[in-house]
């Protein structure tokens, strides 16, 4: 029980970026924001968007005046961010369905904002083992429902921290094409994160490891055809 079928897996690549700022730029460091977009070469008539799942902070090379971003991991897919305001009456089980198919669940991030008037955020992490969770642990749980979509839920105040009325649940992830985006080696940047800079890209490793989601037949073969939905 509690088995979560493997999600679709985004193809990933590694890039080196050389950022040349304008003359007189005073920044000693830069941030490559999460979900900065890169566009691939064409494959079978399609260009794929890749994004970095995590932000990166890079210091300036004081000898060259350049910012060198090395081995930046990018994954294929469209980034999605959703917000849900929690209400005990309407949602007593604290279950939030993610509406998209094709989610790579390894890119899933969850934070809880105090309220619409209080922007304080607390990051929640995916619980892998409920037996190691206490009442104050900021964790969330993931499962697939009977419609084939993923949903998250939270603790009850005994096993995992319970969210409260007015909390805003913020969820972000990548929706990916999976296996079809493997084999790409050329990329250009779509989002220049340092105004008026020049960004040169070198591919360290082309896109690979994209995969389809686990099927019901695969669940049966592996003996994991149970525990697919929270009730």
């Amino acid at each position: 029980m509690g088995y979560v079928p493997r999600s679709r897996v985004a193809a990933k690549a590694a890039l080196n970026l050389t950022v040349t700022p304008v003359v007189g730029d005073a920044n000693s460091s830069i941030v490559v924001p999460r979900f900065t977009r890169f566009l691939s070469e064409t494959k079978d008539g399609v260009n794929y968007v890749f994004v970095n799942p995590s932000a990166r902070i890079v210091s300036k090379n004081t000898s060259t005046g350049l910012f060198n971003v090395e081995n930046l991991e990018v994954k294929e897919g469209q980034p999605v961010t959703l917000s849900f305001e929690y209400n005990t009456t309407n949602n007593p089980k604290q279950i939030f369905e993610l509406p998209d198919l094709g989610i790579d669940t390894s890119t899933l991030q969850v934070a809880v904002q105090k309220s619409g008037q209080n922007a304080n955020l607390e990051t929640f992490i995916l619980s892998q083992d409920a037996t190691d969770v206490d009442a104050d642990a900021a964790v969330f749980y993931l499962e697939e429902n009977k419609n084939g979509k993923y949903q998250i839920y939270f603790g009850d105040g005994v096993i995992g921290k319970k969210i409260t009325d007015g909390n805003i649940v913020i969820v972000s992830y990548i929706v990916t094409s999976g296996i079809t985006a493997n084999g790409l080696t050329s990329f250009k940047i779509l989002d220049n994160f340092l105004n008026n800079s020049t960004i040169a890209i070198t591919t360290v490793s082309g896109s690979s490891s994209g995969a389809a989601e686990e099927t019901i037949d695969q669940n049966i073969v592996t003996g994991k055809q149970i525990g697919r939905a929270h009730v």
Side-chain angles (χ1 to χ4, degrees):
M1 297 297 291
Y3 176 72
V4 181
R6 188 196 66 236
S7 74
R8 193 174 297 181
V9 179
K12 61 183 178 180
L15 308 176
N16 285 345
L17 313 181
T18 302
V19 183
T20 305
V22 296
V23 175
D25 179 85
N27 291 298
S28 60
S29 64
I30 58 172
V31 177
V32 185
R34 185 180 186 226
F35 291 159
T36 296
R37 297 175 303 155
F38 300 83
L39 189 67
S40 79
E41 67 198 274
T42 301
K43 178 183 178 183
D44 299 328
V46 178
N47 299 92
Y48 291 90
V49 173
F50 283 68
V51 297
N52 51 314
S54 302
R56 176 81 70 85
I57 300 174
V58 180
S59 297
K60 180 180 285 185
N61 184 320
T62 55
S63 298
T64 64
L66 305 178
F67 298 97
N68 300 304
V69 185
E70 298 183 344
N71 287 302
L72 180 70
E73 182 183 76
V74 294
K75 292 189 174 185
E76 183 275 324
Q78 296 293 336
V80 175
T81 300
L82 303 171
S83 296
F84 307 92
E85 184 168 356
Y86 177 60
N87 180 285
T88 305
T89 302
N90 297 334
N91 188 2
K93 293 185 178 181
Q94 304 186 16
I95 298 173
F96 303 89
E97 182 182 271
L98 309 181
D100 297 290
L101 297 173
I103 295 172
D104 181 340
T105 58
S106 72
T107 67
L108 184 63
Q109 292 190 9
V110 175
V112 176
Q113 182 176 321
K114 198 72 172 177
S115 69
Q117 293 72 44
N118 186 336
N120 287 340
L121 282 175
E122 182 175 15
T123 299
F124 280 61
I125 62 172
L126 177 63
S127 174
Q128 303 288 352
D129 184 356
T131 62
D132 291 335
V133 174
D134 63 26
D136 297 319
V139 299
F140 69 93
Y141 302 90
L142 177 70
E143 62 191 4
E144 184 183 284
N145 64 25
K146 63 182 179 181
N147 297 319
K149 294 182 177 180
Y150 288 102
Q151 58 192 31
I152 64 169
Y153 62 101
F154 294 86
D156 56 7
V158 177
I159 303 176
K161 189 171 186 176
K162 185 176 183 179
I163 61 175
T164 60
D165 271 358
N167 283 172
I168 298 173
V169 178
I170 301 171
V171 185
S172 59
Y173 50 81
I174 294 172
V175 176
T176 181
S177 304
I179 194 171
T180 60
N182 288 337
L184 299 163
T185 59
S186 179
F187 303 87
K188 63 181 180 181
I189 193 163
L190 293 179
D191 300 320
N192 191 325
F193 46 83
L194 183 61
N195 288 340
N196 301 315
S197 65
T198 301
I199 302 176
I201 298 176
T202 303
T203 301
V204 178
S205 57
S207 62
S208 63
S209 302
E213 55 266 55
E214 187 174 7
T215 66
I216 291 176
D217 288 343
Q218 288 171 323
N219 294 157
I220 293 172
V221 169
T222 57
K224 296 172 179 174
Q225 177 61 27
I226 59 173
R228 294 177 63 88
H230 177 80
V231 294

